Amino acid sequence: MDMEQVYTSNFKVGAYPFYEHLRKTNPIFAMNEQNAQASWMVTKYDHVKELLKSPSFIKDQSKLFSNQNEENDSGEPNLFGNMMLDVDPPDHTRLRKLVQPSFNPKTIKHLAPRIEQIAEELLDDIQDKSEPVDLIEDYAFPLPIIVISELLGVPTEDRNKFRKWSNTILAAQDEMNQDFIQDVEAFTQYLTELFEKGSAHPEEDLVSQLIESQEDGDKLSRNELYSMVVLLIIAGHETTVNLIGNTMHALFEHPAQLEQVKEDHQLISGAIEEGLRYYSPVDFSTARWAGEDMEFHGQSIRKGDFVMASISSANRDEEKFEQADSFNITRERNAHVAFGFGIHFCLGAPLARLEGKIALEKLLERFPNINLDASRPSPQWRRVFLLRGLDSLPVQL
Ligand code: HEM
């Protein structure tokens, strides 16, 4: 199998048996042996943690064969050039420090009443709806995008634009594609106007704080400002929608556990953790590059090779998790790596967990008889390589 097949087949359907086969036979898997620069997929739990923690695998490819910093602050702003997720220390440390306080568990806890209110409002709309309900479209998508938009200070009514742009960006296989170019231009233009407004009339929100950091001088460059906001918008909703959708999907597939959760909402936190492990919303880590020639668990990896971790595979590793292919909301010691590991460990994990918990609590409180709508086509996985999420999840209330 090569990357092209991964993109073109509906890979998600048979992914778990495929990963199991790799873990047993070829755990550091060469995805494109014929190319000069090899691409590797790491599939075992322990190896994935080692990869994500090791400074020998680096994020900033531009530093591999030269010591120059590629950033160019002249001309058009670059949405992706200087993302926190794509850089190494010391830049990573500096960027993460700027946003970490806004995402600490203590800070995030204060958002609970507002998240509950948003959930209730969405459920009111669902209750009033005459058409069939799609849990993704009507609930799992709007909830996190409204929360992250409010936190950042971007207008929530623009959420469908963000959805379109991030869809195009995440699905992009070819950066010369016309849709990709157009959507990136539109997103850039949108942010330029947002930053101009934010600079003239600062508010108490995170975008205003970031603009201030940029204007203050050396804390944040212009490209870093753009790519930070793009990262937070995309990571803030594309993932949590899947957490809510995938966990409900797994519960519908396991009706006895769904009944248990309906009867005892204390089980919801365990269901969320098991949802993260069983149908991990982020299937793969983002790219890393080997910073030097090395041996990695029996494979010779050369400097510059592309290496990625299969988070979904690690989370189903039978050497780590008992009955790894079983969904079990009361699983003990569920040390999954759904939020990654090491210095790039998910910034939004406390927020995602809180949103997931509130989303399920409020949904099951309002609609205790909720079930999958078996009269409509069965849920399909979206064809997005990095993520595992459903296109739609039709339900009966
Ligand atoms: C269920 C929901 C989520 C999952 C499964 C998830 C998963 C991940 C994973 C696996 C990584 C590490 C990627 C790598 O090392 O290559 C990551 C990083 C990140 N996530 Fe999340 N994420 C979720 C929600 C969020 C939310 C709500 C935010 C909102 C701010 C967010 C922001 C970020 C950021 C900024 C990073 C990069 C951190 C860094 O480079 O230091 N994520 N996430």
Side-chain angles (χ1 to χ4, degrees), residues 224-262:
E224 286 168 346
L225 171 64
Y226 277 82
S227 42
M228 178 73 88
V229 176
V230 167
L231 173 63
L232 293 174
I233 291 178
I234 296 182
H237 80 280
E238 280 284 1
T239 50
T240 312
V241 51
N242 299 342
L243 172 60
I244 300 168
N246 296 358
T247 305
M248 284 308 297
H249 178 50
L251 286 169
F252 292 141
E253 289 180 322
H254 299 84
Q257 296 189 61
L258 176 61
E259 287 313 308
Q260 277 180 293
V261 176
K262 282 178 179 173

Side-chain angles (χ1 to χ4, degrees), residues 18-291:
F18 174 65
Y19 296 145
E20 186 183 355
H21 172 72
L22 289 183
R23 285 192 306 271
K24 290 192 171 138
T25 58
N26 192 4
I28 315 286
F29 173 54
M31 292 190 283
N32 63 344
E33 279 163 300
Q34 64 274 46
N35 291 16
Q37 184 211 27
S39 301
W40 304 93
M41 187 200 288
V42 176
T43 58
K44 287 179 81 143
Y45 181 90
D46 288 343
H47 299 173
V48 161
K49 277 180 107 170
E50 196 179 324
L51 159 67
L52 297 181
K53 204 173 75 174
S54 164
S56 303
F57 294 100
I58 64 171
K59 297 285 307 173
D60 187 351
Q61 194 186 19
S62 71
K63 297 214 175 103
L64 265 176
F65 296 105
S66 79
N67 287 324
Q68 288 164 8
N69 187 338
E70 291 278 296
E71 167 143 12
N72 176 4
D73 252 7
S74 61
E76 278 299 294
N78 182 349
L79 292 194
F80 315 110
N82 306 86
M83 224 172 239
M84 159 170 56
L85 193 47
D86 286 338
V87 295
D88 302 295
D91 289 332
H92 173 264
T93 322
R94 170 178 52 85
L95 292 171
R96 180 129 183 170
K97 241 191 214 157
L98 288 174
V99 284
Q100 185 67 61
S102 306
F103 291 92
N104 280 338
K106 262 198 193 148
T107 320
I108 290 302
K109 233 168 102 186
H110 295 297
L111 297 179
R114 178 62 190 137
I115 301 174
E116 286 169 7
Q117 195 181 13
I118 296 168
E120 295 284 11
E121 284 167 11
L122 292 169
L123 293 167
D124 291 344
D125 293 344
I126 291 178
Q127 201 151 23
D128 294 342
K129 237 182 130 181
S130 49
E131 309 109 72
V133 175
D134 174 359
L135 210 55
I136 303 295
E137 186 65 33
D138 297 328
Y139 194 57
F141 165 70
L143 179 74
I145 189 78
I146 293 174
V147 174
I148 194 72
S149 300
E150 289 189 358
L151 211 154
L152 285 167
V154 297
T156 54
E157 59 276 16
D158 291 332
R159 60 181 185 251
N160 282 322
K161 290 188 194 161
F162 305 142
R163 184 189 213 179
K164 176 169 184 293
W165 295 331
S166 55
N167 256 322
T168 311
I169 290 166
L170 288 171
Q173 294 165 40
D174 172 10
E175 297 195 355
M176 298 313 283
N177 172 294
Q178 209 44 42
D179 283 349
F180 181 83
I181 295 171
Q182 266 172 14
D183 280 0
V184 167
E185 270 173 20
F187 205 168
T188 310
Q189 181 61 29
Y190 179 91
L191 291 179
T192 302
E193 284 164 24
L194 182 80
F195 296 152
E196 276 165 12
K197 265 190 236 147
S199 175
H201 308 284
E203 306 270 347
E204 291 288 301
D205 52 55
L206 187 52
V207 165
S208 297
Q209 281 173 34
L210 291 169
I211 295 170
E212 203 186 307
S213 301
Q214 198 243 316
E215 290 173 344
D216 267 3
D218 56 5
K219 282 197 228 148
L220 189 70
S221 74
R222 190 177 66 139
N223 280 345
E224 286 168 346
L225 171 64
Y226 277 82
S227 42
M228 178 73 88
V229 176
V230 167
L231 173 63
L232 293 174
I233 291 178
I234 296 182
H237 80 280
E238 280 284 1
T239 50
T240 312
V241 51
N242 299 342
L243 172 60
I244 300 168
N246 296 358
T247 305
M248 284 308 297
H249 178 50
L251 286 169
F252 292 141
E253 289 180 322
H254 299 84
Q257 296 189 61
L258 176 61
E259 287 313 308
Q260 277 180 293
V261 176
K262 282 178 179 173
E263 269 163 38
D264 180 2
H265 289 192
Q266 300 291 332
L267 296 173
I268 288 177
S269 294
I272 291 289
E273 290 309 309
E274 185 65 346
L276 283 161
R277 185 194 72 85
Y278 185 77
Y279 282 145
S280 303
V282 173
D283 230 343
F284 293 98
S285 73
T286 53
R288 272 127 181 109
W289 278 269

